[in-house]
Amino acid sequence: MRYADAGVRLDLADAVTERITTRLGSALFGGMVPVPRLRDFRDPVLISSMDGIGTKVRLAARLGACGGLGQDIVHHCVNDIAVHGATPLFFLDYLAFHSLMPEIIDEVVEGIAGACEALGIAFAGGETAEMPGVYAHGAFDVAGAIVGVAERDGIVDGSGMQVGDTLLGLPSSGLHTNGYSLVQRVFSDNEYRTYDLLLGAPLGAVLLTPHRCYLPEIRALLDGGAVRGFAHITGGGIAGNLARIVPDGLVADVSLPSPVPPIYRLLHARGVPWDEMHAVFNMGIGLIAVCDPAVGVPDGWIALGSVRRAVHGTRKVMIHDRD
Amino acid sequence: MRYADAGVRLDLADAVTERITTRLGSALFGGMVPVPRLRDFRDPVLISSMDGIGTKVRLAARLGACGGLGQDIVHHCVNDIAVHGATPLFFLDYLAFHSLMPEIIDEVVEGIAGACEALGIAFAGGETAEMPGVYAHGAFDVAGAIVGVAERDGIVDGSGMQVGDTLLGLPSSGLHTNGYSLVQRVFSDNEYRTYDLLLGAPLGAVLLTPHRCYLPEIRALLDGGAVRGFAHITGGGIAGNLARIVPDGLVADVSLPSPVPPIYRLLHARGVPWDEMHAVFNMGIGLIAVCDPAVGVPDGWIALGSVRRAVHGTRKVMIHDRD
C-alpha cells in the first residue's frame, strides 16, 4: 500500500510546489517579508483578512476558464483590508483539490502572482493540498489571506459619521465573488456559453469577470479629504455590509442608480425576488464610501445619497431603487 | 428562487458568524492586531505561513471527534514559522463546508481560540464558507494562516551549518497532520473505535491526537546556544524536510531511535513499505534541530546524529533505522 493508492501523488505535488515556488519571493516555507515601511509608522497596526471566492470556482471549473480566479481572491482580500485604511503588504494562498490539476494550479497561481505584482504586494506563498474524499470529484477551492498595515489613528471604521455625510459608490465589475451558488441554481449548463443580447456577451464571461480592486480609489479618496468609512459590498449585499459601519442613531439612505446593470435584471427575470437580490448581490455597487460633503463627487464615483438621523426602530440602511 | 434553494442558508451563516465573533479580539472584518512588539525590533521581518490539516478532517468527521482540529491547524502553522526563529503574532482561519455544521464549527473554533490563547497569539478572524457541490456531502476543510515576526539577523535557515554539528530531535505526538489519506486506505471504518493492544488505546484516538506545538522548545533552544536551523517534519518526512536546510556539500546523518512508535509499526505491518513510511510520515520525530555540539542534548531532546561532509552524489539526508 502506497500513498499513490490513496489518491495522493507526492511526485506531482513536488512538481507543482517547484513551479509555484518560482513565482514566490522566497523559497522557504515561511513567507518572509521585510517590512521597511513599518518603520515609517508611528503606531503600526497589522490588519489582516482571510477569504475564499465561494462557488465561483465551481462555475470557472465547469467552463474551463480559471484565469480570473487569481484576481478574484487577491482583489477580494485587498478590498477587505483597504476599507479600514490599510496598505496591503503580502498575500498567501490556499488551493485544495480532490485531485491536483496542474493546469488549473498554473492558471490560478499566475493570476495571483500577476495581481500581487500589479498592486506591489508580496506573494508570500501558501499551500496546495490534494484531499480526495473531502472535495467532490473534479472540484477545488481557492482561499487567501492578506496582511496589511495602517497607522492606528488612520484606521477608518465609520466612527466619525454624522448627519449630512454623503454616500459615494463605485461600480462593481459584476457579481464579484458572491451569490454563485444561487446563480448556478438559476442557470443551466447550456446557457453559459450562449451570447446574451441583454448582457451583450456570453453569460459565462459576464459571470466570470474578476472581482474589481478598489485600492487605488480608496487611497486617493483617503488622501483627498475627510472619509468616515468604507463598506466593501460582499455577501449580505449593500444593506448587510454598509450597516456594519453606521453608528447607532444614524441611517444611510441609499438611492441606487437606475436601472441596475443587466445581469441583475436577468437574475430577477429568472425568478429571484428583489428582496433576495438585495440580500445576496452587490446590485452593481462594489464599494461605498461615507464622506464629509466637502469631498464632493470625485471622478469615477457615483452619488448614492446621504446619512440622516434615525427615527426609532429604523434600520441602519434604507435602500431606494427605482426598478 | 432564493439562496436557500441553492443550499446556502444566510440566516445560519449570520448566526455562526456571530458566535465566532465572540471569540475574536475584534468585531471588524479585517483582523486588527496592534504590534507594539514590532518597535522592539531593529529590522523586523514578517514571516507567514498558510496551511491545511489535510484529510485528518475527514477522519475526525467520520469519528465525530473534531475537538483536536483547532490545535492541529494552529500548532502546524506555528511550528512552520517558529522553525525560522519567528515569534507568532496572529492567526486566521478558513473553514469551508458542503453544508454548514454549527456544532463542528463551534468545536473547531473553540479549539483554535484555546490554542491561540495558550500561546499568546491573537485570533484575528477568518472565513466560514458554505459551498455545496465543491465539498463532498458531509465534508469540510480547515485551513489557517499565521503571521509572526523575527529580527532579520535572527532568522535561522541552516546557513551556518558545518561538519560536526549535532542533530537533535523532539518526539511527535503521532502522525500530526500528514499521511491521513494513506491511513484511511489502510484501515477500515470498523477498526477505529476498537482498543488496540499494540497501541494501548483505540486506533482512532491515537490517530486524532493533536499536532504537537514546538514553540516553547524552539524558543528555549534559540536562547541557549548556537542553533543552525530547524526542520518541522511534515509531508515528505524527515528526509524531505531536513534536506531543505542542509547546505550543499553536507549530509545530515540521522539515526532514528529504535523501535519506532507503535502506530508506525502497525502501519508497516498493514502493508506500507518502509521507504514509503519514511516518505510520508514523521516516524515519531516531529522536529529536528541542527546545533553547535556545545549545545549538548537538553532535557526532552533526543540525540539523532550529526552533520558530515558529503561524498559526491550522496543525498543531503541519510536515515539509519534499526527496524
Side-chain angles (χ1 to χ4, degrees):
Chain A
M1 177 78 71
R2 291 184 171 267
Y3 219 177
D5 301 319
V8 176
R9 293 152 300 168
L10 290 179
D11 51 340
L12 186 55
D14 286 345
V16 163
T17 302
E18 199 171 314
R19 280 217 297 280
I20 294 176
T21 304
T22 62
R23 298 298 324 222
L24 306 179
S26 159
L28 285 167
F29 264 143
M32 298 193 184
V33 182
V35 277
R37 277 186 286 188
L38 275 186
R39 274 178 297 187
D40 301 335
F41 288 76
R42 280 174 292 103
D43 188 7
V45 175
L46 293 178
I47 301 187
S48 58
S49 185
M50 170 86 94
D51 229 304
I53 49 180
T55 52
K56 190 173 188 174
V57 292
R58 208 173 72 203
L59 181 63
R62 186 176 291 181
L63 299 182
C66 298
L69 299 181
Q71 282 191 315
D72 275 320
I73 187 63
V74 173
H75 293 174
H76 187 131
C77 288
V78 165
N79 290 344
D80 272 348
I81 65 165
V83 294
H84 301 305
T87 301
L89 296 172
F90 63 92
F91 176 87
L92 299 157
D93 72 338
Y94 178 71
L95 310 180
F97 293 79
H98 176 278
S99 304
L100 290 181
M101 295 186 276
E103 300 75 23
I104 289 182
I105 295 173
D106 280 351
E107 229 177 326
V108 175
V109 169
E110 273 302 310
I112 290 172
C116 287
E117 208 174 313
L119 294 167
I121 303 169
F123 179 16
E127 166 76 355
T128 307
E130 184 165 40
M131 298 174 65
V134 172
Y135 291 83
H137 267 276
F140 63 96
D141 197 4
V142 177
I146 187 107
V147 176
V149 60
E151 199 72 77
R152 188 196 294 259
D153 60 16
I155 291 172
V156 288
D157 58 4
S159 55
M161 202 179 297
Q162 49 192 266
V163 172
D165 281 348
T166 55
L167 305 171
L168 300 175
L170 286 172
S172 63
S173 55
L175 309 189
H176 287 175
T177 45
N178 286 100
Y180 282 82
S181 293
L182 178 54
V183 162
Q184 288 169 88
R185 284 281 296 191
V186 168
F187 300 111
S188 59
D189 269 8
N190 53 14
E191 297 181 82
Y192 295 116
R193 296 182 198 277
T194 314
Y195 183 89
D196 186 289
L197 270 179
L198 176 67
L199 301 175
L203 173 61
V206 169
L207 290 173
L208 290 182
T209 305
H211 202 123
R212 177 174 167 185
C213 181
Y214 296 110
L215 181 64
E217 290 83 359
I218 288 172
R219 305 296 331 164
L221 205 67
L222 284 171
D223 290 345
V227 181
R228 318 295 190 200
F230 294 100
H232 183 205
I233 312 304
T234 58
I238 293 173
N241 289 281
L242 189 51
R244 292 172 207 273
I245 62 162
V246 176
D248 288 342
L250 298 178
V251 177
D253 229 332
V254 180
S255 292
L256 276 186
S258 178
V260 293
I263 184 66
Y264 306 96
R265 303 207 301 279
L266 180 60
L267 280 159
H268 176 60
R270 292 293 295 272
V272 183
W274 281 122
D275 66 317
E276 190 78 353
M277 296 284 302
H278 279 283
V280 173
F281 300 110
N282 61 46
M283 303 305 283
I285 301 293
L287 186 91
I288 294 178
V290 186
C291 308
D292 184 289
V295 170
V297 184
D299 268 3
W301 293 83
I302 303 162
L304 290 179
S306 63
V307 174
R308 58 175 176 79
R309 194 170 313 282
V311 178
H312 180 72
T314 311
R315 284 169 298 175
K316 288 192 165 183
V317 176
M318 296 289 291
I319 299 179
H320 313 274
D321 64 49
R322 281 153 284 181
D323 283 296
Chain B
M1 176 78 69
R2 290 183 173 269
Y3 220 177
D5 301 318
V8 176
R9 294 151 299 167
L10 289 179
D11 51 339
L12 186 55
D14 286 346
V16 163
T17 302
E18 201 171 311
R19 280 218 297 280
I20 294 177
T21 303
T22 63
R23 297 297 322 223
L24 305 180
S26 159
L28 286 169
F29 264 143
M32 298 195 184
V33 182
V35 277
R37 277 186 285 187
L38 276 186
R39 273 179 298 187
D40 301 336
F41 288 75
R42 279 173 294 105
D43 189 6
V45 175
L46 293 177
I47 301 186
S48 58
S49 185
M50 170 86 94
D51 230 303
I53 49 180
T55 52
K56 190 173 187 175
V57 293
R58 207 173 74 201
L59 181 63
R62 186 176 291 180
L63 299 182
C66 298
L69 299 181
Q71 283 191 314
D72 275 320
I73 187 62
V74 173
H75 293 174
H76 186 130
C77 288
V78 165
N79 290 344
D80 271 350
I81 65 165
V83 294
H84 300 306
T87 301
L89 296 171
F90 62 91
F91 176 88
L92 299 156
D93 72 339
Y94 177 71
L95 309 180
F97 293 78
H98 177 278
S99 304
L100 291 181
M101 296 185 275
E103 300 74 24
I104 289 182
I105 295 173
D106 280 352
E107 228 177 326
V108 175
V109 169
E110 274 302 312
I112 290 172
C116 287
E117 208 174 313
L119 295 168
I121 303 169
F123 179 17
E127 166 75 355
T128 307
E130 185 164 41
M131 297 173 67
V134 173
Y135 290 84
H137 269 279
F140 64 96
D141 197 5
V142 177
I146 187 105
V147 177
V149 60
E151 199 73 76
R152 188 197 294 257
D153 60 16
I155 292 172
V156 288
D157 59 3
S159 54
M161 202 179 297
Q162 48 192 267
V163 172
D165 281 348
T166 54
L167 305 171
L168 300 174
L170 286 172
S172 63
S173 54
L175 309 189
H176 287 175
T177 44
N178 286 100
Y180 283 83
S181 293
L182 178 54
V183 163
Q184 288 170 87
R185 285 280 296 190
V186 168
F187 300 110
S188 59
D189 269 9
N190 53 14
E191 297 180 82
Y192 295 116
R193 296 182 198 277
T194 314
Y195 183 88
D196 186 288
L197 270 179
L198 176 68
L199 301 175
L203 173 62
V206 170
L207 290 172
L208 291 181
T209 305
H211 202 123
R212 177 174 167 186
C213 182
Y214 296 109
L215 182 64
E217 290 82 0
I218 289 172
R219 304 296 330 162
L221 205 67
L222 284 171
D223 290 346
V227 181
R228 319 296 189 199
F230 294 101
H232 183 205
I233 311 305
T234 58
I238 292 173
N241 288 282
L242 188 51
R244 292 174 208 273
I245 62 162
V246 176
D248 288 342
L250 298 178
V251 177
D253 228 333
V254 180
S255 291
L256 277 185
S258 178
V260 294
I263 184 67
Y264 306 95
R265 302 205 303 276
L266 181 60
L267 280 159
H268 175 60
R270 292 293 295 272
V272 184
W274 281 121
D275 66 317
E276 190 80 352
M277 296 284 303
H278 279 284
V280 174
F281 301 111
N282 60 47
M283 302 306 284
I285 301 294
L287 186 92
I288 294 178
V290 186
C291 307
D292 185 289
V295 170
V297 184
D299 267 4
W301 292 83
I302 302 163
L304 290 178
S306 63
V307 175
R308 59 177 174 79
R309 194 170 314 283
V311 178
H312 181 71
T314 311
R315 284 168 298 173
K316 288 192 166 183
V317 177
M318 295 290 290
I319 299 179
H320 312 274
D321 65 48
R322 281 153 284 180
D323 283 296

